[in-house]
Amino acid sequence: EVQLVETGGGLIQPGGSLRLSCAASGFTVSRSYMSWVRQVPGKGLEWVSVLYSDENTHYADSVKGRFTISRDNSKNTLYLQMSSLRAEDTAVYFCARVNIGGFGYNCLDYWGQGTLVTVSS
Amino acid sequence: DIQMTQSPSSVSASIGDRVTITCRASQGISSWLAWYQQKPGKAPKVLIYGASRLQSGVPSRFSGSGSGTDFTLTISSLQPEDFATYYCQQTHSFPSLTFGGGTKVEIK
């Protein structure tokens, strides 16, 4: 059974750093495309970042230069290192697996339960 | 950047009703569109990918259609467990994956 479990959220002051973890089971993270998506409580979904199986990375403009996506193959775990945090980064952060479908029909087929990051003084 | 616009933002419906949600892309995205369902406090769940392809395990009362800029998610006969918020997502500009603003399906 595929499972994704995020940890690491919490209250952090503006300008601070935080690292989120996403422990995977039932599949191999290093052979998959993995993504982070965030959601301000009560609002919509925002794509944050993606890590390809070949370790290429991509980021939304809103987090580029401040967030870093990575993985630990030995732990089958995905990470999101967040720095220079701002109030507008406050959100629930979900990790998700990208299903690379034929004809480019991609989707996010498995999601974690999310972890809340609150940036406030 | 491709923008995704959903309408309506909310809809009230009764059990057994046919519900249609629309998603419009700011430029043509062929059939590179997915639909998700999200219940309060839970992660989104993929329903449809490739505009019309039903994800494994999703009830057949859900269907998707459209291509280019205009897309539709239809629930043929609304069930109690379908009250949720629905999001479209374009995958044309992958890895950038833009979501629509969401449509909340509420009980009438």
Side-chain angles (χ1 to χ4, degrees):
Chain A
E1 180 191 7
V2 171
Q3 194 171 13
L4 295 166
V5 178
E6 301 100 333
T7 55
L11 176 63
I12 187 76
Q13 291 190 337
S17 298
L18 202 62
R19 188 179 79 161
L20 306 182
S21 300
C22 171
S25 57
F27 72 101
T28 303
V29 166
S30 63
R31 297 179 192 162
S32 305
Y33 285 30
M34 299 294 297
S35 188
W36 288 95
V37 174
R38 68 184 181 183
Q39 184 173 39
V40 174
K43 302 297 184 182
L45 300 165
E46 180 188 17
W47 171 75
V48 172
S49 182
V50 69
L51 174 64
Y52 288 7
S53 53
D54 66 2
E55 298 195 277
N56 273 325
T57 60
H58 297 273
Y59 301 91
D61 287 344
S62 58
V63 306
K64 199 172 294 182
R66 300 187 299 121
F67 290 11
T68 302
I69 190 171
S70 64
R71 70 188 184 217
D72 184 328
N73 296 343
S74 67
K75 296 182 179 179
N76 208 32
T77 297
L78 179 74
Y79 300 102
L80 186 68
Q81 178 69 47
M82 306 184 294
S83 61
S84 303
L85 283 162
R86 308 165 180 167
E88 55 265 35
D89 295 317
T90 294
V92 174
Y93 285 74
F94 297 98
C95 65
R97 188 180 78 170
V98 182
N99 185 322
I100 303 299
F103 305 103
Y105 296 151
N106 307 327
C107 66
L108 302 175
D109 63 351
Y110 289 97
W111 296 64
Q113 83 287 352
T115 187
L116 177 62
V117 173
T118 303
V119 184
S120 175
S121 54
Chain B
D1 289 3
I2 299 174
Q3 307 301 317
M4 306 301 293
T5 304
Q6 285 182 237
S7 61
S9 56
S10 66
V11 57
S12 295
S14 301
I15 301 301
D17 283 355
R18 182 182 184 90
V19 174
T20 299
I21 298 168
T22 297
C23 178
R24 175 165 288 176
S26 60
Q27 65 186 71
I29 60 170
S30 186
S31 296
W32 286 307
L33 185 101
W35 288 97
Y36 298 84
Q37 175 194 67
Q38 186 180 33
K39 297 181 179 179
K42 301 294 186 182
K45 169 189 171 184
V46 62
L47 302 173
I48 302 283
Y49 64 96
S52 61
R53 289 154 177 79
L54 196 67
Q55 176 72 352
S56 176
V58 174
S60 59
R61 63 181 179 273
F62 291 94
S63 64
S65 64
S67 67
T69 59
D70 295 314
F71 301 87
T72 299
L73 174 70
T74 299
I75 309 171
S76 60
S77 178
L78 196 65
Q79 298 302 300
E81 59 269 30
D82 301 336
F83 291 98
T85 300
Y86 294 83
Y87 294 92
C88 63
Q89 177 202 47
Q90 66 82 19
T91 60
H92 177 272
S93 60
F94 185 83
S96 177
L97 302 171
T98 322
F99 291 91
T103 297
K104 187 174 183 179
V105 177
E106 301 175 298
I107 301 173
K108 181 183 269 186

